Amino acid sequence: MQQQGTDLHILLCDAAGDLAVDGYASAEAINTPPSNPAGQVKPEGVLSMLMSNGTSVDVCAIYLPSSDLGEDNLREEVGVAAPGPMAEMMRDPSIPVYNF
């Protein structure tokens, strides 16, 4: 989607928030399509690539309070979502929302 010009905003919730922690390393890689010479990449690598191309990333507002982490543990440029503005964005019919 990003390669086709879509501005992306990613909200990481629950265990996916771990991807936003500076220094986090996944145990397993993702198999990529045969047409991708990279072969395998880790989820945090995909997130880094997306962020380097302009994707904004936030962790869910309850991610940090539910962990032993603080904002200073997050990767540079990762924010903490504010519930009100996030709800507005997700309810906006002109903004498609996908979840995985």
Side-chain angles (χ1 to χ4, degrees):
M1 290 172 65
Q2 189 179 54
Q3 290 173 345
Q4 295 178 11
T6 301
D7 291 328
L8 301 177
H9 185 106
I10 296 176
L11 176 64
L12 298 170
C13 298
D14 198 25
D18 294 347
L19 296 173
V21 175
D22 192 30
Y24 175 79
S26 298
E28 296 185 33
I30 301 169
N31 289 321
T32 58
S35 61
N36 183 347
Q40 292 187 336
V41 294
K42 291 196 171 189
E44 62 273 17
V46 174
L47 185 66
S48 292
M49 179 195 66
L50 291 168
M51 290 177 66
S52 70
N53 289 321
T55 295
S56 61
V57 177
D58 288 318
V59 292
C60 176
I62 61 173
Y63 174 75
L64 292 175
S66 299
S67 72
D68 295 334
L69 304 171
E71 284 188 57
D72 57 327
N73 295 110
L74 299 176
R75 293 171 178 236
E76 192 173 321
E77 299 185 27
V78 172
V80 178
M86 187 57 62
E88 279 184 42
M89 185 174 67
M90 292 177 81
R91 291 182 57 239
D92 185 335
S94 69
I95 300 175
V97 176
Y98 302 95
N99 61 25
F100 302 93

